[in-house]
Amino acid sequence: QVQLVESGGGLVQPGGSLRLSCEASGSIFSINAMAWYRQAPGKQRELVARIFNSGGSTNYADSVKGRFTISRDNAKNTVYLQMNSLKPEDTAVYSCYAFITTMQTYAMNYWGKGTLVTVSS
């Protein structure tokens, strides 16, 4: 009933920028929080950035502070991740996460399928 669809991944040179988008669709009543996670080859999935609906507060992984910015458009049920000064170690599959209350259920976790970001020269 709820789908998260990411876009914006791709290949970029070190020092470059990318903007990821994730749109939530379906029978959504409210979105409590949205976030971006990433998983690099051979590593565990880690939280990159999170934004809460209430007040719009944000959290970032230390490794991306000052380089990445998370934002959301509540009218479009969309979250963005602006990634600047990209480094090879940012290479990973980036997945969108949302904590959503639907018309039929209490709040649940939802995940997108992920989009690959490759930082390489």
Side-chain angles (χ1 to χ4, degrees):
Q1 290 182 333
V2 173
Q3 283 190 322
L4 301 181
V5 178
E6 302 104 333
S7 62
L11 174 64
V12 63
Q13 291 187 343
S17 298
L18 279 176
R19 188 192 194 208
L20 304 182
S21 300
C22 171
E23 181 180 5
S25 62
S27 57
I28 296 170
F29 177 74
S30 66
I31 300 178
N32 305 311
M34 299 187 82
W36 288 96
Y37 285 76
R38 69 184 180 186
Q39 186 167 20
K43 295 187 177 181
Q44 290 187 333
R45 183 171 61 190
E46 64 171 347
L47 174 66
V48 176
R50 177 171 50 199
I51 185 165
F52 295 92
N53 185 50
S54 177
S57 61
T58 58
N59 302 126
Y60 293 92
D62 288 342
S63 59
V64 306
K65 283 181 181 177
R67 300 188 298 123
F68 291 10
T69 302
I70 189 170
S71 62
R72 62 189 286 178
D73 184 333
N74 291 334
K76 296 180 179 180
N77 289 335
T78 298
V79 65
Y80 305 96
L81 185 68
Q82 179 65 44
M83 305 185 293
N84 299 328
S85 302
L86 282 161
K87 305 175 181 179
E89 50 263 43
D90 293 318
T91 295
V93 174
Y94 285 71
S95 297
C96 178
Y97 160 87
F99 192 55
I100 296 174
T101 302
T102 71
M103 303 298 184
Q104 295 81 28
T105 68
Y106 294 108
M108 295 175 60
N109 299 320
Y110 293 90
W111 292 91
K113 293 183 178 180
T115 184
L116 178 62
V117 171
T118 302
V119 184
S120 175
S121 55

